[in-house]
Amino acid sequence: MRQKELRIALVCYGGISLAVYMHGVTKELWKLARASQAFHADGTEASGVEQVYRALLEHIEQSHALKLRILPDILTGASAGGINAVFLAQAIHSGQSIEPLTRMWLENADVEQLVDPEARPWSRAAKLWAMPIVWFLLRRPDNAVTASVAPETRAEVRRKVSGLIRSRWFEPPFSGAGFSRMIRDALAAMAAGEAGAPLLPAGHPLDLWVTATDFRGHKELLRLNSPPVIEESEHRMPIGFRSLTPREIGQGLAHPSELIFAARATASFPGAFPPLRLAEIDEIANEAGGWPGRAAFLRRIMPGHVEQGTTEHVSLVDGSVLVNRPFASAIAALGARPVQREVDRRIVYIDPRPDRRSALERDSAQPVGFFGAILGSLSTIPREQPIRDNLEAIERQSYEAEKLHRMVEALRPEVEAAVDKLFGHTLFLNRPTPARLGQWRAKAQQVAAEEASFAFHSYAQAKMAGIVDQLAQLVTDAAPGMDSSQHEPVARSFRRELEARGLTSLTAPGGGASAAAVEFLRAHDLTFRIRRLRLLARRIAREWQGEAGADDAALEQARSAVYQALNLYMERDSAEHFGADFPAIAAKALEQPGLVLDTLAARRVLPELDGAAEAIISAALEALDKPLRRRMLLAYLGFPYYDVATLPLMRNEGLTEYDPVKVDRISPEDATSIRSGGTDATLRGIEFFNFGGFFSRAYRENDYLWGRLHGAERMIDLVCSTVPEGVDPVVAARFKRDAFLAVCDEEAERGLCAIGGVDVLRAEIMARLGGE
């Protein structure tokens, strides 16, 4: 049985009230992950739509000999989409239910709930002098409500907008503290409810990143040629969390105050909410007994302000002001993750309005007016900037991986001939032991270096530069107070230390690696080891599977062994491995680089890991017949030849993944099984300039239900797309219909949405797809 993990990095856009739709989508991802967990846990029951997802996984196992596990392990978000990311991350990490967030969105995400009590009109007669303004905005011909709101909801929207206009002026109408308490209460309801096991394997990292905007900015150093250093004002403030998944049930991703801070900061929409200041979260934390990790949290997310003593004066506004589509955070989190089996990595983004067209584009024939130019420059254009740059970066990464694969395949005949010549007459080649495998591996590496002749020089320089950069990145990530501007100074410090130790060059006078170079590489060359096992895993998974005469069970055992060995090394690619005192040691990298390098070598113990990994590999080789055993040995021992040839050309020491990262979108345009027409045909929150959902519960219920239905359809599409030969479209359509009806059943039973709306959707599903 072939095993694979579908790992999902989720990107939640900012979308104002369309965040309710995005919540419906994220709930289906949560339910799919729960179904996957139940599928892999013997005896665990599933019900509702989770049972449909589980049945799909069972069908793929039985019909396609593929056992699939779904792991949403990277979550990013901006603005109100960031709130969805925060709650989903908490549910995945703790095993708690995400249902309290549904209640928060449906019951409390309304202007009448969000308005600050001090800002509300005290009577219908309040601010009578403002009524002409209300009439001009809401009742004149072609007014905003008439132009953008459905007839049946206009009276409700006009009443609520009138209240907003007659509330306080020149101050945000919504309550920041009230918003923070809403978030706190929803998190508390999650914690008080029944919890299951965390939805990722124990020890697997979970990354959460949300964007925020530092309104006044903080100082950052920028290194130039002349002058050497200048100060710049940086306004981006990403708020990140990384935690290894616990075994315990109910353990939160972070202290509740930190999650409240992140959710409130990322969704602090300018003009609607006051900017977030630290005192607001402190007040709420004190109500619950304090915030024990406050100082460490602030040092991590705003080190510049901590150093300058300005944390109490920081004002944070909506993250979508600068970063509305946080792909970069998702891409940056892809590395340093453990592997147990073949991985299908996806970046999935939720875009509720892929059909958007800015006002500037719609009115392209008209001159740009004074206010239109200001609004477009400050808000519309930044928020609607396409994601082309992000997707092109992912495409380039995938192209590099595919190019590397083609190069390796072209080299294979020559490499296998060279290795066969080197070991072909070895007496015990068909009986590898850990000791023999280690000796053969060392010999192959040295001979490959020597035979490369002058080409080894460029390889050695590329390898040295890559290792130093990787170590510098590890240190700057771990050291408190360091940021990306310190990366190059730390790398220079390491290079000077290595030169002082005689490592100006890695090559020996007679060719190949010098003794000092071999010692350095044994201690620090982690990515070489990872690349070698990645190649072996790919060969087993993609090229030898299904060959005539191949023992599938033995191949699966060998593949599992390769991933088990690979995981030993992957665990050493993260700062969490080096102990609680390592950040303090890493901070000394500029003054004591030798201490830091020696600490990394001592705590990574890569030579000892080599012995453990080769014990695993040699045991797996015993289960293979002689032809496959020989081919696996040729690939393992031949890797140095591949690496010498490809690394200088690729110029990427960190390129350890041979498979491309795929990108999938979830939007109303992509889920048309029930109703075509996309966003305009399904969502109501798009009305009143995407604020419509905050003015009508009926709109929120509609968008939430469609979010679940579209999410269910796209979850099934994602799962089916991991099957190499594909799933029969008729079978996939049947699972989609069952999932849609299960969603309706769940919502009818829960009763948060009007039963009439659920029944209408159920009838439409049955009319379009059949069923009972």
Side-chain angles (χ1 to χ4, degrees):
M1 182 66 61
R2 183 174 176 181
Q3 297 190 43
K4 184 189 287 188
E5 290 178 354
L6 172 59
R7 294 190 182 181
I8 295 175
L10 183 71
V11 180
C12 297
Y13 283 9
I16 316 177
S17 76
L18 294 176
V20 180
Y21 169 83
M22 288 187 274
H23 167 62
V25 175
T26 59
K27 176 177 276 190
E28 291 311 301
L29 177 56
W30 173 67
K31 285 183 171 288
L32 175 62
R34 282 169 54 92
S36 172
Q37 183 189 65
F39 172 59
H40 286 267
D42 294 337
T44 304
E45 296 295 327
S47 60
V49 73
E50 292 176 27
Q51 178 55 41
V52 178
Y53 294 144
R54 179 170 177 171
L56 174 59
L57 295 174
E58 290 172 347
H59 168 79
I60 291 173
E61 179 184 33
Q62 294 165 6
S63 301
H64 301 276
L66 176 64
K67 192 160 189 176
L68 190 64
R69 183 164 190 173
I70 287 80
L71 301 179
D73 60 350
I74 300 173
L75 308 170
T76 70
S79 192
I83 297 177
N84 288 319
V86 168
F87 276 83
L88 180 58
Q90 176 76 339
I92 290 170
H93 186 273
S94 65
Q96 297 167 358
S97 171
I98 205 173
E99 296 292 350
L101 181 60
T102 304
R103 187 175 292 275
M104 188 192 91
W105 281 128
L106 295 183
E107 295 182 351
N108 297 324
D110 191 279
V111 294
E112 291 183 332
Q113 296 289 329
L114 295 171
V115 168
D116 193 321
E118 297 180 0
R120 293 172 182 167
W122 56 90
S123 73
R124 293 180 61 86
K127 287 189 178 178
L128 285 174
W129 54 266
M131 293 309 294
I133 300 174
V134 173
W135 182 91
F136 177 78
L137 291 175
L138 304 183
R139 298 198 178 271
R140 65 182 176 84
D142 300 322
N143 63 79
V145 174
T146 301
S148 64
V149 177
E152 66 271 18
T153 320
R154 288 172 187 167
E156 180 184 11
V157 172
R158 285 192 175 106
R159 174 175 58 82
K160 293 179 179 179
V161 173
S162 173
L164 277 180
I165 294 173
R166 292 182 294 113
S167 66
R168 63 187 178 196
W169 285 21
F170 308 114
E171 290 185 57
F174 296 161
S175 169
F179 187 25
S180 292
R181 288 186 170 89
M182 270 176 45
I183 297 167
R184 175 202 63 189
D185 292 345
L187 287 170
M190 287 178 65
E194 186 176 349
L199 301 184
L200 297 175
H204 191 94
L206 173 64
D207 286 273
L208 166 67
W209 288 92
V210 298
T211 62
T213 303
D214 185 351
F215 185 80
R216 295 191 177 92
H218 53 279
K219 294 179 182 178
E220 293 282 0
L221 298 180
L222 185 63
R223 300 185 182 275
L224 307 177
N225 177 59
S226 175
V229 179
I230 64 172
E231 287 186 350
E232 284 281 296
S233 180
E234 175 62 70
H235 294 269
R236 291 171 297 181
M237 185 179 287
I239 303 172
F241 302 85
R242 168 174 264 222
S243 178
L244 301 182
T245 305
R247 295 184 182 277
E248 299 80 12
I249 291 174
Q251 183 173 319
L253 176 65
H255 190 277
S257 297
E258 298 174 14
L259 299 178
I260 296 168
F261 183 102
R264 166 73 171 88
T266 191
S268 184
F269 196 86
F273 292 99
L276 173 64
R277 293 173 68 91
L278 191 56
E280 180 181 309
I281 306 300
D282 285 338
E283 180 181 350
I284 292 173
N286 290 335
E287 293 172 0
W291 182 359
R294 179 182 187 273
F297 175 72
L298 296 180
R299 278 197 306 272
R300 181 164 59 81
I301 69 162
M302 52 177 77
H305 284 295
V306 171
E307 183 178 345
Q308 297 157 26
T310 55
T311 56
E312 305 303 320
H313 308 298
V314 174
S315 294
L316 300 180
V317 297
D318 196 289
S320 66
V321 171
L322 292 177
V323 186
N324 192 42
R325 299 160 186 188
F327 274 83
S329 297
I331 296 170
L334 291 177
R337 314 190 81 76
V339 288
Q340 302 289 353
R341 53 191 59 84
E342 184 182 354
V343 172
D344 189 339
R345 166 60 73 185
R346 306 295 181 92
I347 293 182
V348 178
Y349 68 97
I350 308 174
D351 186 357
R353 291 215 66 175
D355 61 337
R356 69 176 66 78
R357 295 291 185 274
S358 70
L360 300 180
E361 182 181 335
R362 284 198 304 268
D363 302 329
S364 58
Q366 301 296 325
V368 177
F370 175 74
F371 289 108
I374 294 174
L375 177 63
S377 299
L378 297 182
S379 178
T380 308
I381 292 176
R383 289 170 187 269
E384 295 192 5
Q385 176 62 26
I387 59 173
R388 185 179 302 108
D389 292 346
N390 303 115
L391 296 184
E392 285 178 350
I394 298 171
E395 185 179 12
R396 282 193 301 272
Q397 178 180 331
S398 299
Y399 173 73
E400 291 290 295
E402 184 57 35
K403 184 166 69 172
L404 177 60
H405 174 59
R406 291 197 302 270
M407 293 169 65
V408 168
E409 288 307 294
L411 289 168
R412 187 198 293 198
E414 295 180 39
V415 170
E416 291 187 349
V419 177
D420 191 61
K421 180 180 178 182
L422 186 61
F423 294 106
H425 300 290
T426 300
L427 182 60
F428 298 106
L429 188 62
N430 287 325
R431 286 181 286 170
T433 64
R436 290 169 184 163
L437 198 56
Q439 294 168 2
W440 298 337
R441 180 247 309 156
K443 181 179 179 180
Q445 289 174 195
Q446 187 62 26
V447 172
E450 293 171 355
E451 293 185 354
S453 186
F454 64 86
F456 182 75
H457 292 269
S458 62
Y459 171 71
Q461 291 304 314
K463 180 181 283 287
M464 172 70 87
I467 294 172
V468 170
D469 280 343
Q470 189 265 341
L471 295 175
Q473 186 66 54
L474 184 65
V475 165
T476 53
D477 287 345
M482 283 193 180
D483 56 29
S484 58
S485 68
Q486 297 293 97
H487 180 277
E488 182 53 33
V490 170
R492 283 199 302 266
S493 178
F494 285 163
R495 283 194 289 269
R496 286 194 297 268
E497 174 66 23
L498 294 173
E499 289 170 2
R501 296 183 181 190
L503 280 167
T504 304
S505 171
L506 294 180
T507 56
S514 66
V518 171
E519 182 180 354
F520 170 75
L521 296 174
R522 280 173 55 81
H524 293 291
D525 195 359
L526 176 67
T527 54
F528 172 87
R529 293 157 162 100
I530 293 175
R531 290 196 303 274
R532 178 173 57 201
L533 290 174
R534 290 279 195 193
L535 173 66
L536 199 59
R538 184 184 181 94
R539 288 279 171 85
I540 297 172
R542 302 292 176 85
E543 297 160 22
W544 300 338
Q545 192 84 28
E547 286 191 1
D551 185 334
D552 288 342
L555 276 175
E556 181 57 37
Q557 182 180 344
R559 180 167 49 201
S560 297
V562 170
Y563 280 115
Q564 184 183 353
L566 181 57
N567 201 42
L568 295 177
Y569 295 115
M570 296 293 287
E571 289 175 347
R572 301 302 199 271
D573 198 20
S574 173
E576 288 89 347
H577 167 76
F578 298 103
D581 63 335
F582 183 67
I585 296 172
K588 302 175 183 178
L590 295 174
E591 297 79 21
Q592 297 177 270
L595 170 66
V596 178
L597 289 172
D598 292 342
T599 300
L600 286 167
R603 297 189 182 183
R604 267 183 168 167
V605 292
L606 293 184
E608 294 182 18
L609 282 188
D610 291 339
E614 283 167 343
I616 294 170
I617 297 298
S618 61
L621 288 170
E622 293 181 2
L624 298 175
D625 59 25
K626 287 184 180 180
L628 277 175
R629 185 186 310 163
R630 187 178 185 84
R631 292 169 70 179
M632 190 168 172
L633 276 169
L634 289 176
Y636 185 79
L637 299 176
F639 180 74
Y641 292 87
Y642 294 119
D643 211 44
V644 167
T646 60
L647 186 63
L649 298 176
M650 302 302 293
R651 298 180 181 179
N652 190 349
E653 172 71 10
L655 186 62
T656 60
E657 180 57 77
Y658 282 82
D659 297 317
V661 176
K662 301 173 186 175
V663 181
D664 298 272
R665 185 181 72 174
I666 299 177
S667 81
E669 304 291 327
D670 312 313
T672 57
S673 292
I674 302 172
R675 184 186 298 178
S676 58
T679 302
D680 290 338
T682 54
L683 303 190
R684 306 298 297 273
I686 60 175
E687 297 182 4
F688 205 50
F689 312 106
N690 289 345
F691 282 91
F694 295 146
F695 288 90
S696 170
R697 171 152 184 168
Y699 281 12
R700 296 195 295 278
E701 291 178 7
N702 174 84
D703 290 2
Y704 162 69
L705 289 171
W706 277 110
R708 288 204 64 185
L709 294 171
H710 290 166
E713 178 166 355
R714 296 297 284 142
M715 290 305 112
I716 292 172
D717 288 338
L718 277 171
V719 170
C720 291
S721 69
T722 63
V723 180
E725 62 274 18
V727 174
D728 184 342
V730 175
V731 174
R734 187 180 71 244
F735 279 109
K736 288 180 182 180
R737 180 203 62 202
D738 293 346
F740 298 153
L741 295 175
V743 167
C744 292
D745 290 342
E746 288 179 357
E747 293 302 332
E749 182 178 352
R750 191 162 185 224
L752 277 180
C753 297
I755 192 65
V758 176
D759 287 344
V760 167
L761 282 174
R762 188 198 306 276
E764 186 173 353
I765 293 164
M766 294 173 64
R768 183 76 178 265
L769 302 175
E772 298 179 0

